[in-house]
Amino acid sequence: MNQDYNNPAFKKLLKKLQEESWQLELLISGFAIFGLFQAITPLGVLSQEARNNDQILVFAIFLVATISCFILLFNLLLHVILRGLWIGALGLRYVSGDIDFEKLNYSPKFTNYLKKKIVSFDRYIASLENYCSIIFAISFLLIFYVLAFTLLIGSIVFVAEYILNNDDLSETFRYAVGIPLILFIVFGMLLSFFDFLTQGWLKKKQWISRLYFPVYWVFSFLTLSFLYRPLVYNFLDNKFGRRISFFLVPMYILILFATSFQYQKSNYIDLGSQSTSTVANKRNYESLITKEDGVFIKSVAIPSKVISEPYLKVFNVFSERTEDYIYAYNKGLEPLEDNRGLKSQMQFSNDFFDFDRRDSLKQEYMKTLNDIHVIKIDTTEYKPDFILSESSTDEFGYETYLDISNLKKGKHIIRLWQKKLKQDDTLYIRRATIPFWYYPNQ
């Protein structure tokens, strides 16, 4: 079929499909809106979970997916509203026909003004049709723009992580290759963005276009623009499409700004993002949080604000920083190759089958894990005995139980630190400060 695009029969088919495309638009919009509403909450929960577990790459993927869902949802809702208005206008035209300004019997000043602004009801229907079609098409084009921006940022991170910060490469090679690549990507991004804002100014100037073409060619692959290039240039050669494109971006910024407003109840106090000796944030109490609401533990959690049992459970969310502190504290545990991050589980090595060695290293790991933690309730220090576990929100970490039978009734403060070796000094990094009340059942 792609070889017959100049065939009159094919052009006739396209024209017929254009005339009936509004039905497909409404059908796709309806299903897409339903699916997006179902997907936004799970994606938000997954992104928050990845962020809380310091899984930066996974967090970025889910964040981009969430942003794309919001953009698509806003555009498609706007499309459905305008398409509904268009259908209503068609129905009204069937009943009432065009606007008869003479029957309105307005003064000549208002009659001439309205005739100039409205012109005719048919023109209004045609404008609505144009708005609907362009908004529907640009909805999916904007997702490609988000993907392109993400890929460019990912390219910078990739070069920085796997070339500039790669200790396996020589320093000369890292700087000789990494820095030029970073500069090329950054300046290429700026040039491409400038060319986009000016609607192809760099492509119009004869000598500049020759310099810009290699950058354009490389970035067409980095941004995957070869997949949606026809859509872009079809918008750019249409004045109406360009106006809609530039109108939607400020609209997104305005919506983002509007959603940033929050009512401030006091000049001095607020809940903040973590608990202190005077603040009890619900993210530090397992009984107050649920994974379904997209709320996760903030570093450390205890069962509830009021403890009635003679023991206290302390759950500590695992993070890669904790493992770095363990390696600094016990150099013998640091592996030759760091396998953290996204890795295939289809790996075979001699270490995998050396169960005795793996078990002994795991025991040494847990011993060091306990050694680098300090727990105090008020002024009394407790020796932790952490074991690997999962929280009620399915977060991976480690937990221990403290004997608090000798505590007095009332308010207490539990504090948890991690030891960090820096050269010959030991630093204490605070993980949490959580208030609770102890009222035993007896």
Side-chain angles (χ1 to χ4, degrees):
M1 181 64 76
N2 61 337
Q3 298 176 352
D4 299 331
Y5 61 90
N6 286 321
N7 191 305
F10 181 68
K11 290 184 179 294
K12 185 177 179 181
L13 175 63
L14 286 180
K15 185 176 181 181
K16 182 180 179 182
L17 290 173
Q18 286 175 235
E19 294 172 353
E20 298 177 356
S21 65
W22 65 271
Q23 301 173 44
L24 291 174
E25 288 177 15
L26 282 176
L27 186 65
I28 293 172
S29 294
F31 279 109
I33 289 171
F34 176 78
L36 290 169
F37 270 119
Q38 299 296 315
I40 283 176
T41 299
L43 283 174
V45 170
L46 290 171
S47 64
Q48 287 299 321
E49 184 177 9
R51 180 183 180 183
N52 206 57
N53 292 331
D54 290 334
Q55 298 171 346
I56 305 303
L57 179 59
V58 179
F59 169 71
I61 292 172
F62 285 125
L63 180 63
V64 171
T66 304
I67 292 172
S68 300
C69 282
F70 275 112
I71 291 175
L72 201 56
L73 185 59
F74 173 79
N75 284 356
L76 293 180
L77 282 172
L78 181 61
H79 167 261
V80 169
I81 292 171
L82 291 178
R83 187 58 80 177
L85 184 61
W86 175 77
I87 293 173
L90 284 176
L92 182 61
R93 185 185 183 281
Y94 175 76
V95 174
S96 182
D98 208 339
I99 301 173
D100 191 344
F101 292 100
E102 304 304 327
K103 284 188 177 180
L104 296 174
N105 199 26
Y106 291 156
S107 66
K109 182 176 181 63
F110 274 97
T111 299
N112 293 332
Y113 176 80
L114 292 174
K115 283 183 177 181
K116 182 180 178 181
K117 291 294 181 181
I118 298 176
V119 181
S120 73
F121 196 61
D122 289 352
R123 181 186 178 186
Y124 173 71
I125 293 175
S127 296
L128 282 177
E129 166 67 21
N130 290 337
Y131 277 111
C132 292
S133 297
I134 288 179
I135 288 175
F136 182 80
I138 205 173
S139 300
F140 299 95
L141 180 60
L142 287 172
I143 303 304
F144 281 114
Y145 285 158
V146 173
L147 179 61
F149 179 76
T150 304
L151 290 173
L152 290 177
I153 298 298
S155 300
I156 295 175
V157 174
F158 179 84
V159 173
E161 185 68 23
Y162 291 96
I163 297 181
L164 287 176
N165 295 331
N166 192 344
D167 295 332
D168 295 333
L169 302 175
S170 66
E171 186 173 336
T172 304
F173 179 83
R174 282 188 289 163
Y175 292 120
V177 176
I179 292 177
L181 278 176
I182 291 284
L183 292 175
F184 175 77
I185 295 173
V186 170
F187 283 107
M189 284 175 60
L190 295 175
L191 288 174
S192 299
F193 185 64
F194 175 79
D195 188 61
F196 170 76
L197 289 180
T198 57
Q199 300 174 15
W201 187 84
L202 295 177
K203 301 186 189 78
K204 296 175 184 177
K205 303 300 178 180
Q206 187 70 24
W207 65 275
I208 295 179
S209 64
R210 293 182 179 179
L211 297 175
Y212 176 62
F213 180 78
V215 176
Y216 171 81
W217 185 82
V218 172
F219 272 72
S220 68
F221 290 97
L222 286 179
T223 62
L224 304 181
S225 66
F226 59 89
L227 296 175
Y228 52 90
R229 188 180 293 139
L231 276 174
V232 174
Y233 290 106
N234 209 326
F235 273 109
L236 290 177
D237 72 356
N238 183 282
K239 183 179 179 181
F240 191 75
R242 291 197 302 268
R243 278 166 40 193
I244 295 294
S245 302
F246 287 110
F247 169 78
L248 284 175
V249 174
M251 180 64 69
Y252 296 141
I253 297 173
L254 183 62
I255 292 173
L256 183 64
F257 177 72
T259 55
S260 68
F261 281 93
Q262 187 176 1
Y263 190 80
Q264 189 73 25
K265 294 185 169 103
S266 170
N267 288 311
Y268 299 99
I269 57 174
D270 59 68
L271 283 177
S273 61
Q274 60 186 0
S275 296
T276 65
S277 58
T278 57
V279 175
N281 190 290
K282 71 176 184 178
R283 293 181 63 187
N284 293 115
Y285 305 96
E286 283 193 281
S287 62
L288 300 180
I289 58 178
T290 55
K291 181 179 178 180
E292 289 72 19
D293 295 332
V295 181
F296 295 90
I297 294 172
K298 181 69 175 180
S299 301
V300 181
I302 60 177
S304 63
K305 293 180 183 178
V306 179
I307 305 297
S308 57
E309 303 294 340
Y311 55 85
L312 177 64
K313 173 189 172 183
V314 181
F315 183 86
N316 201 345
V317 178
F318 179 83
S319 71
E320 290 187 9
R321 286 192 298 271
T322 299
E323 190 150 300
D324 292 334
Y325 298 160
I326 291 175
Y327 294 157
Y329 203 83
N330 189 338
K331 295 291 186 181
L333 288 172
E334 187 170 2
L336 296 176
E337 181 181 356
D338 195 335
N339 289 319
R340 288 177 293 181
L342 287 176
K343 297 286 183 179
S344 172
Q345 298 302 306
M346 298 179 64
Q347 298 178 10
F348 297 94
S349 65
N350 293 330
D351 290 340
F352 180 82
F353 296 102
D354 193 353
F355 298 109
D356 292 337
R357 181 174 178 273
R358 288 170 60 87
D359 189 59
S360 64
L361 287 175
K362 186 174 182 179
Q363 291 180 19
E364 182 67 19
Y365 182 98
M366 294 305 299
K367 180 181 179 299
T368 308
L369 176 70
N370 285 295
D371 289 340
I372 68 168
H373 283 88
V374 176
I375 298 178
K376 282 187 178 182
I377 297 180
D378 300 330
T379 58
T380 304
E381 184 172 333
Y382 289 77
K383 177 65 176 175
D385 186 15
F386 285 113
I387 62 170
L388 299 179
S389 181
E390 283 189 344
S391 69
S392 58
T393 52
D394 297 330
E395 293 174 83
F396 177 70
Y398 37 97
E399 65 182 30
T400 188
Y401 289 82
L402 308 178
D403 182 2
I404 58 172
S405 57
N406 294 326
L407 286 183
K408 294 180 180 179
K409 294 180 180 180
K411 180 184 175 183
H412 299 275
I413 306 294
I414 180 172
R415 294 178 173 87
L416 187 144
W417 293 271
Q418 284 181 342
K419 296 179 185 179
K420 178 184 179 183
L421 288 182
K422 190 173 183 180
Q423 296 177 349
D424 296 329
D425 296 330
T426 301
L427 304 178
Y428 288 84
I429 310 299
R430 191 188 70 171
R431 285 282 286 170
T433 298
I434 308 173
F436 70 95
W437 286 260
Y438 179 55
Y439 290 106
N441 291 324
Q442 295 84 354

